[in-house]
Structures are given as C-alpha cells and as structure tokens.
Amino acid sequence: MKTLVLDEKQIDIAADILKNGGVVGIPTETVYGLAADALNGAAVAKIFRAKGRPMDNPLIVHIADFSDIRRFDLVREIPESAEALAKAFWPGPLTMIFKRTDAVPSEVSAGLDTVAIRFPSHPVAQAVIRAAGTPLAAPSANLSGSPSPTTARHVLNDMDGRIDAVLDGGASAVGVESTVITLAAGTPRVLRPGGVTVEMLREVLGEVDVDDAVLHQLAEGAEAASPGMKYKHYAPKANVILLKGSDRAYIDYVNAHAGDDVCALCCDEDLLDLKVKTVSLGRRGDYLTHARHLFDCLRRMDENKTVRTVYSRLPSTEGVGLAVYNRLIRAAGFEVIEL
Ligand code: TXA
Ligand code: MG
C-alpha cells in the first residue's frame, strides 16, 4: 500500500478515508497524529498495528468543539474543572481525562474506565475532524519509541506504506505533545507536561498535582497513571547524556570529550565555542523555541549515522521547559552527569 500525500485543499479526501475506516496522518499544533474514527474499534486497531504500539496504551480522542463531548456521548460527567480549563485553553495543547461511557471502544481506552479528550487548535485538524463527522482517535504519528513527528515528512519517514494517507499542514507550532491532566479522580494531576504549563493550569484551578513519573523514573513494577509514561520514549538511536552545570562547564565538558561520533544538542550562543558537531535548539532560555525544535533536532541527529553520543544540558523545569525536560530525560534513560 502506497501512502497518499495530501495538501490542505484535499481535506475531503482525508475525511473520506477516515469515514471508511482508514488511517491518516494529520497535522496538529503539537505534533502530527495518526488518526482513525474513534468510534470504530476496527479502524482504531489499525493505528496500533501501524505504530507497533502496545495495546495497553490508550489513545487521545480529538474533537472539533467542546459540545462534541456530549454530542458523541463520550464521558459520564463533565466536572466544573473541565469547563474552566476548556474555557481557558481549548482549542489548544491540553488533553483532559474523564470517566468514559461505553460509547468509547475498548481499543481507544485500552481497558481503562477513562478517556482522554483534546480539542486541537490547528485549523486543518479541526477541518478534518468536522469533515469526517466523527471524533478522531490519534496518538503521535511516529513509530513506537522514536521521536514524535512535527512535519509531514517526519510522518512519511516512519509510516510510508503503513498508513493510507498523510495530510500536510506545515510544521507543528508547539513541537511537543499536549499537556495531559486527569480530572477523573481527586485533585487534578498532570500526567504529561506540554504547551499548557503547570503554572498556567494552577492559575485556573488553584491546586494541581504533578505526577511523579513526569520528573522521575517509575520504580520497577510500579503502575503508571498514564501508561505511555512507562515506555522508553523519544529515544534517538544515539546515546543521549544530560549535563548539569553552568554554560561554561557544559562547553568545557563537551570539548574535553570531542570526537567524530559526538554531537552537542546546544543553544545558539554555544555554537562558536563548541568543537564538535552541533544541533541547536534555539537561543538560551527560549523554552518555547526549544520545544518547537526538539524532536526535529533529535531526528536530524539520528539521520547523521556517525553520531553515537549526544551531549545536552539538563533543561530547566520552568514553564514549557518542563515539557522539554520530561522528553529529554526519557531520551537519556534518566542519565544525568553533574559537572
Ligand atoms: O499532542 C498530543 O497529545 C498528540 C496529538 C496527536 O494530539 N497525541 C499524542 O498521543 O501525543 P500519544 O498517544 O502519543 O500520547 C498520549 C498519552 C500517552 O502517554 C497515553 O498513555 C496517555 O496519553 N493517555 C491516553 N489516554 C489515557 C487515559 N485514559 N488515562 C491515562 N493516560 C492516557
Ligand atoms: Mg506518542
């Protein structure tokens, strides 16, 4: 099967494929998604096959209006906290977890009694959901274990021949996956940090917890609140090592370990001082730009077959920095060297 490449004028073709139970790569503001009709279990199962995704890892259901939650009878109740968050951050890079109804196929919820829902802001994502006339289940459109795709080209690199089509809507503006917050029990808790920061969530809700798995490795045998957090993620083929220390200490350490197989995942201000291959995330302290470039940088380093070791600074945990931290610490297998 050849994968069709569609442009923004061909949304109806993508929608027809989806209505007929096919799988289409779609742009969103966070990362590209691998979409299928969320109410069609057989269609959703194809997503797991295309990605090589474990069946116990549930998918996010994408809607094109807050009222779709009721229209498609997806959740048992809408807590007040969800209405407040929707008002503040939807459409946008926030996923909320609710108690689900039986309208949600077991393939989507992976056996949990909850469902994750997101209303994306990307106009092409909204248009294709509307044209399909059904909510779309979509994980990130990468092969399981590789960095999430932020362009249609990235999707094709992983998925060519494995899915029906990819809809090109340009590069994703946020660059890391949505913030996931559960409202299904007790104090709202962030399971995955993203473009909507913990600080922003606290401004709306007051108390918000951050799940242990955001910053730390899960203990052997511990159960993950978000099944995705237990898998090794965002792993480039090279060995990623995080360095904690001053800007000068970072540069000195990397130069002391220079070699043909070494690459620095760095900032613009480091470029002149580093004596190894470099890939820059953007200017120091510009966490939004770092998030936007992160996965493309990881993919570019992988394309350079000689790179075996990648040195990056340990990111800040402030604002969107926490999302970058969460992805890189996993890419590094939680390995940090204190300088
Ligand atoms: O930005 C995004 O969220 C992208 C775009 C395509 O919308 N999607 C995405 O999906 O990142 P995925 O499947 O790669 O990541 C979804 C995460 C996984 O860690 C999964 O375990 C978790 O959300 N998740 C989904 N449903 C859940 C549920 N009911 N309870 C707990 N975690 C859930
Ligand atoms: Mg993913």
Side-chain angles (χ1 to χ4, degrees):
M1 173 181 74
K2 186 105 184 73
T3 297
L4 265 179
V5 181
L6 304 170
D7 67 30
E8 293 177 23
K9 290 188 284 302
Q10 297 175 301
I11 287 168
D12 287 344
I13 300 176
D16 280 339
I17 296 171
L18 291 163
K19 281 187 221 167
N20 288 308
V23 176
V24 179
I26 63 164
T28 87
E29 72 279 17
T30 56
V31 301
Y32 273 68
L34 209 56
D37 178 352
L39 305 179
N40 176 344
V44 172
K46 292 182 192 165
I47 295 176
F48 287 86
R49 285 201 290 277
K51 266 186 79 98
R53 180 178 176 108
M55 290 297 290
D56 68 348
N57 196 359
L59 305 182
I60 296 170
V61 175
H62 296 71
I63 56 175
D65 196 89
F66 187 77
S67 63
D68 285 352
I69 299 179
R70 289 243 185 272
R71 180 173 162 215
F72 295 104
D73 186 30
L74 300 173
V75 312
R76 270 190 272 156
E77 54 178 342
I78 300 180
E80 265 175 44
S81 52
E83 309 227 12
L85 290 178
K87 207 163 157 227
F89 305 118
W90 273 3
L94 178 69
T95 296
M96 297 188 235
I97 296 178
F98 301 83
K99 295 200 181 93
R100 70 170 175 87
T101 62
D102 293 335
V104 178
S106 58
E107 287 84 354
V108 171
S109 57
L112 301 178
D113 60 0
T114 53
V115 61
I117 301 183
R118 182 161 101 81
F119 176 8
S121 65
H122 197 297
V124 175
Q126 293 182 3
V128 73
I129 298 166
R130 271 195 219 105
T134 178
L136 299 178
S140 50
N142 51 292
L143 284 173
S144 223
S146 69
S148 291
T150 53
T151 66
R153 166 64 37 205
H154 293 163
V155 177
L156 273 182
N157 285 347
D158 280 17
M159 292 293 163
D160 199 8
R162 305 174 74 90
I163 58 174
D164 297 299
V166 59
L167 183 55
D168 192 345
S172 297
V174 178
V176 290
E177 306 88 338
S178 62
T179 304
V180 178
I181 188 168
T182 179
L183 309 171
T187 305
R189 186 156 41 102
V190 171
L191 305 181
R192 180 177 72 184
V196 174
T197 66
V198 175
E199 293 88 336
M200 289 157 75
L201 293 165
R202 285 189 177 138
E203 247 170 63
V204 175
L205 295 183
E207 205 184 349
V208 174
D209 290 340
V210 176
D211 199 80
D212 267 353
V214 166
L215 287 167
H216 308 288
Q217 190 161 23
L218 273 177
E220 196 75 44
E223 198 176 322
S226 183
M229 283 292 175
K230 73 184 173 210
Y231 298 107
K232 185 168 182 195
H233 243 157
Y234 322 111
K237 291 174 195 93
N239 188 24
V240 177
I241 297 170
L242 298 179
L243 304 174
K244 186 177 177 188
S246 67
D247 293 329
R248 191 68 248 171
Y250 170 74
I251 291 164
D252 289 344
Y253 185 95
V254 175
N255 285 339
H257 293 77
D260 286 343
D261 58 352
V262 171
C263 182
L265 180 62
C266 63
C267 295
D268 293 351
E269 291 85 344
D270 308 323
L271 292 172
L272 287 175
D273 293 326
L274 286 169
K275 298 186 172 62
V276 298
K277 287 186 203 70
T278 52
V279 174
S280 177
L281 289 166
R283 296 180 64 86
R284 279 182 199 153
D286 183 355
Y287 307 136
L288 280 173
T289 302
H290 296 183
R292 186 179 317 128
H293 292 161
L294 177 65
F295 290 136
D296 183 58
C297 287
L298 292 179
R299 280 177 180 260
R300 270 162 46 208
M301 291 184 311
D302 263 355
E303 278 162 19
N304 186 327
K305 299 274 183 291
T306 59
V307 174
R308 289 263 160 73
T309 306
V310 172
Y311 291 116
S312 167
R313 282 189 184 77
L314 184 69
S316 159
T317 55
E318 246 172 75
V320 181
L322 183 63
V324 177
Y325 181 104
N326 171 268
R327 302 333 184 251
L328 270 180
I329 195 102
R330 281 176 169 68
F334 294 87
E335 193 181 335
V336 179
I337 296 177
E338 303 241 6
L339 303 177

